[in-house]
Amino acid sequence: MNDLYKRQIDYLRISVTDLCNLRCIYCMPAEGVPKMHHADLLSFEEIVRLVNVFARIGVKKIRLTGGEPLVRKGIEELVAMLRAVEGIEEITLTTNGQLLEEKASLLKHKGLDRVNVSLDTLDPEKYEKITRVGELFPVLKGIEAAREAGLFPVKINTVVMKGVNDDEVYDFAEMAIEQGLSWRFIEFMPLGGVGEEQKHYYMSNDILIERLKKKYEMVPYTHKTLISEDYMITGTKAVLGFISPLSHKFCSRCNRVRMTADGRLLPCLLSSLEYPLRDMVRGGASDEEIRKKIEEAIKNKPKEHMFQGFKPMHTIGG
Ligand code: SAM
Ligand code: SF4
């Protein structure tokens, strides 16, 4: 379905849990987040029922996210259940990669198409600092396992932070070239949940593009992705993408809505608008009533964000 600004909304991002096995400095407080009661989470059956309604109004692509989606028990079964929904053409997942090595092959078998892995440094010590508790090696193994399982193309997401990891851009590009990866650089967003200290991490992706162009011949790459500015490095299979919500708003091309783990539909990442679908499902609403509510949410999708970053990223799923 189209929203009021003629954007075709065909992409739903579903957070399946608030919990995470890491504590990234730009996403969560050091002590983690209070655990949601299991009863507050949408069950797999509830998610699938809602996705059926979304599919009927034109959603074709689902991304599972979190928190960390691979810590939700039985996530592979959810993938299989979503695969069976008529109209859903693509199912992807965003993960920190910690549990990917053990799960990649089963996820593929159950119907996952692709995976995005978040990785902000190639330095083991820095990885521990950024994630506060994680180890780098399992992520590298997870990326390898995902490629071997055919979760293709594997995309790497890096949040670029001034003075923290921006010195590694050439290392990221080299790994992308060696492994034929698609590497996406995301501008840091100072959202709720991060401390004052983190707020000066922001740097514009324009600076990175300029640095990379000094070393590589980068040709703009036409790709169906709507929000990322992509370049291919000449003579390689590496694609470098830049997602720049602050320096270059891409709202006019935004084709997505988001659902939180407790079933709130968010028409925009950076607005306070939300529609509690779980309460409707549990209150006995019909599919038709739910469809109308989703259509209302999509109609009210803001034209563009005003950067009201109230909600922490681990609740929204990125
Ligand atoms: N745990 C999974 C992961 O890290 O890939 C999925 C959830 S995480 C919230 C989704 C994406 O949001 C990750 O790529 C993460 O780097 C990004 N993210 C989290 N906080 C961010 C922030 N403050 N600014 C920009 N991106 C952020
Ligand atoms: Fe966890 Fe992902 Fe947030 Fe890092 S970015 S704390 S891995 S939810």
Side-chain angles (χ1 to χ4, degrees):
M1 114 171 227
N2 282 2
D3 72 1
L4 290 182
Y5 307 99
K6 299 200 170 66
R7 295 172 294 199
Q8 196 188 350
I9 309 302
D10 58 7
Y11 177 15
L12 172 65
R13 297 174 68 103
I14 305 173
S15 168
V16 293
T17 176
D18 241 26
L19 292 183
C20 187
N21 44 3
L22 299 182
R23 301 277 179 274
C24 302
I25 51 174
Y26 50 73
C27 177
M28 279 207 187
E31 65 280 10
V33 291
K35 191 173 177 200
M36 245 183 218
H37 291 294
H38 191 71
D40 289 335
L41 292 179
L42 286 177
S43 69
F44 290 171
E45 288 71 21
E46 288 169 335
I47 292 176
V48 170
R49 176 172 174 208
L50 288 170
V51 168
N52 265 290
V53 180
F54 277 103
R56 264 177 260 141
I57 62 165
V59 164
K60 298 187 175 69
K61 177 176 167 185
I62 301 287
R63 175 172 298 276
L64 300 176
T65 175
E68 172 49 40
L70 298 189
V71 303
R72 175 99 187 235
K73 223 169 162 187
I75 185 77
E76 317 70 37
E77 294 317 316
L78 177 62
V79 170
M81 289 160 81
L82 292 172
R83 192 77 272 175
V85 175
E86 200 178 323
I88 297 302
E89 295 171 3
E90 190 180 44
I91 305 173
T92 60
L93 181 144
T94 299
T95 173
N96 59 34
Q98 291 288 326
L99 302 173
L100 191 54
E101 185 183 12
E102 60 187 83
K103 294 196 183 266
S105 160
L106 186 57
L107 284 165
K108 173 72 187 175
H109 178 71
K110 296 286 186 177
L112 190 72
D113 292 299
R114 287 194 300 103
V115 75
N116 283 25
V117 181
S118 302
L119 176 61
D120 302 318
T121 178
L122 297 173
D123 172 342
E125 272 180 34
K126 208 191 276 183
Y127 188 86
E128 274 185 55
K129 282 199 183 119
I130 293 176
T131 63
R132 292 193 179 106
V133 291
E135 281 182 39
L136 174 64
F137 190 60
V139 188
L140 301 178
K141 297 292 281 180
I143 293 170
E144 206 177 300
R147 293 169 69 218
E148 278 166 14
L151 291 168
F152 187 81
V154 177
K155 292 188 180 176
I156 310 296
N157 289 351
T158 296
V159 175
V160 183
M161 291 164 279
K162 189 165 64 185
V164 178
N165 62 352
D166 63 307
D167 57 333
E168 290 187 69
V169 283
Y170 294 135
D171 299 335
F172 299 142
E174 288 302 314
M175 180 163 155
I177 292 168
E178 270 163 34
Q179 300 192 17
L181 297 167
S182 179
W183 207 293
R184 314 207 312 171
F185 299 95
I186 304 171
E187 281 180 351
F188 164 71
M189 289 179 268
L191 296 176
V194 302
E196 277 308 307
E197 185 197 329
Q198 276 83 32
K199 299 214 164 143
H200 59 265
Y201 287 161
Y202 171 77
M203 66 183 273
S204 162
N205 264 338
D206 291 344
I207 299 173
L208 285 193
I209 296 175
E210 212 176 289
R211 277 192 210 162
L212 285 159
K213 279 185 173 166
K214 282 191 184 139
K215 178 157 178 188
Y216 303 104
E217 191 183 342
M218 304 209 320
V219 183
Y221 177 61
T222 323
H223 194 260
K224 68 176 178 188
T225 174
L226 290 164
I227 62 162
S228 165
E229 180 187 346
D230 288 348
Y231 296 87
M232 193 128 199
I233 301 185
T234 306
T236 79
K237 291 203 167 85
V239 176
L240 304 185
F242 299 86
I243 301 183
S244 315
L246 298 195
S247 66
H248 298 279
K249 273 188 188 177
F250 43 72
C251 304
S252 65
R253 286 167 284 141
C254 180
N255 62 341
R256 62 205 55 199
V257 289
R258 295 171 163 83
M259 195 157 64
T260 61
D262 57 357
R264 287 169 290 136
L265 179 61
L266 313 178
C268 171
L269 174 71
L270 297 170
S271 125
S272 53
L273 269 183
E274 53 179 59
Y275 295 79
L277 297 185
R278 183 198 64 194
D279 298 350
M280 292 186 76
V281 170
R282 294 190 184 168
S286 67
D287 282 3
E288 183 57 18
E289 286 165 328
I290 293 171
R291 184 177 64 78
K292 285 201 176 119
K293 187 54 75 182
I294 295 173
E295 285 175 354
E296 181 190 329
I298 291 177
K299 288 231 164 75
N300 285 330
K301 187 171 163 65
K303 184 173 182 210
E304 55 181 27
H305 74 72
M306 308 304 285
F307 199 69
Q308 295 171 309
F310 306 119
K311 296 187 191 73
M313 198 62 116
H314 59 82
T315 65
I316 325 173

